[in-house]
Amino acid sequence: MNEFFKNVLLFTLIPLAILLLMCMSDEGIVMAGILALVLVGGYFIVGLILIIANKNQIGKAMLLSSGIILLIGLSMCGIALSGISVIR
């Protein structure tokens, strides 16, 4: 594996594992969503700063990881919200 792919896996799989563990409880789904939102924003901003500072490989890996986490996070939220019943 090359260094870029290792960085993408590192920046993506560790936060997703933590988010998955947080989703095990009832209120953890909401907290995992908030954490994912903050994490994606932070990865995006830090990735842009790193690209501007000529650390292109790590910056691109962080930007790609933020997109992957955003995609998986939106999928998780959609699945979680589809099972919630509306109070009548």
Side-chain angles (χ1 to χ4, degrees):
M1 275 193 288
N2 60 6
E3 192 68 27
F4 178 75
F5 189 63
K6 286 180 185 177
N7 286 335
V8 170
L9 286 177
L10 178 73
F11 291 134
T12 304
L13 294 181
I14 292 173
L16 286 177
I18 294 170
L19 293 173
L20 181 65
L21 288 174
M22 288 179 69
C23 287
M24 297 289 182
S25 67
D26 293 333
E27 295 178 6
I29 293 174
V30 175
M31 293 304 294
I34 293 171
L35 180 66
L37 179 68
V38 171
L39 183 75
V40 166
Y43 271 13
F44 187 77
I45 291 171
V46 171
L48 286 177
I49 290 171
L50 286 173
I51 287 177
I52 291 171
N54 290 329
K55 303 282 186 180
N56 290 336
Q57 183 145 355
I58 297 175
K60 288 178 185 178
M62 290 191 86
L63 286 175
L64 183 61
S65 295
S66 71
I68 293 170
I69 293 171
L70 185 64
L71 178 69
I72 293 173
L74 286 174
S75 301
M76 281 183 6
C77 287
I79 292 169
L81 289 176
S82 67
I84 296 175
S85 62
V86 179
I87 299 173
R88 296 177 189 186

